[in-house]
Amino acid sequence: MSKASTGIPRQSLTSAVAEKLRDKIILGELQEGEQLRQDLIAAEFQVSRIPVREALRQLLAEGLIDIIPNRGAVVSSLSPSEIEELFEIRALLEREVLRDSIPNLSAGDLAHAAALLDKYDQELRDENSVADWGRLNTQFHASLYAGADRPQFMSIIRTINNNGERYTRLQLFLSKPAREIASREHAQLLALCRARDIEPACELLYRHIRAAGRSLRDVVEKRRHTPDAKR
Ligand code: NI
């Protein structure tokens, strides 16, 4: 958040614009390399250019956009190895948080995780729900960390997820086997958490995220070498 914005109204306007743009990028409505023009965004949201500029600064800090000379703000495009790296970081951070969380997960937390997983599995069968897949995956994972009191870890994980979610959705959309593997591993993960089987759960989570990162790297690599592929 920019230090220059002092008044609450302007700051919340900035956050509101940032949130809308962030959603559009995560959902793929704004695609990699697409230009974000301040005047058009200001007109679309009926705000002045100041909150738009500040919102863009925020998205830049989150890695969702790049500023390119003569083109201005564009949706960032991650290389296949950068995408894999994001998943590597996630695997390391989430494993730590899960280890702290498991002993403290309440029956209510586990029930909440189970409900999210049911919803996720249902939506995975429906390709029209593709927009929700990345979000539900993130929500399910986060629900397993409810027992950990690690706000800083969670804040970094959230930022990484905002960057990775659009790619998670792409991977799930392109690969039915990947969807089946993810479902199976999520169910195993929940069972291990329920049994308080800490190390096996952490190990599975780590492998689950690393494997998703590798398969995504391959998917994106292939797509970028196919000239007609829509990103
Ligand atoms: Ni997952």
Side-chain angles (χ1 to χ4, degrees), residues 43-101:
E44 185 185 343
F45 298 136
Q46 300 179 328
V47 296
S48 76
R49 289 210 198 181
I50 296 163
V52 174
R53 195 162 53 228
E54 284 171 5
L56 291 177
R57 209 174 289 154
Q58 208 170 304
L59 297 178
L60 179 67
E62 293 169 19
L64 288 172
I65 64 168
D66 289 323
I67 304 290
I68 294 179
N70 303 321
R71 284 198 74 205
V74 300
V75 178
S76 71
S77 156
L78 297 174
S79 73
S81 60
E82 283 172 330
I83 294 169
E84 191 185 6
E85 206 182 330
L86 282 186
F87 279 75
E88 248 178 278
I89 300 169
R90 259 191 66 196
L92 288 167
L93 297 182
E94 293 193 24
R95 183 174 61 184
E96 287 308 299
V97 178
L98 183 66
R99 188 174 284 126
D100 281 358
S101 173

Side-chain angles (χ1 to χ4, degrees), residues 90 137 141 186 208:
R90 259 191 66 196
N137 180 63
H141 277 254
H186 285 159
H208 167 73

Side-chain angles (χ1 to χ4, degrees), residues 211-223:
R214 274 192 295 273
S215 112
L216 202 47
R217 180 200 60 203
D218 294 345
V219 165
V220 173
E221 226 156 41
K222 245 181 241 144
R223 255 169 113 75

Side-chain angles (χ1 to χ4, degrees), residues 171-191:
Q171 180 222 9
L172 291 170
F173 183 66
L174 292 175
S175 164
K176 191 156 187 265
R179 295 209 281 279
E180 285 160 3
I181 293 169
S183 288
R184 199 171 51 236
E185 289 180 342
H186 285 159
Q188 286 168 352
L189 196 53
L190 182 57

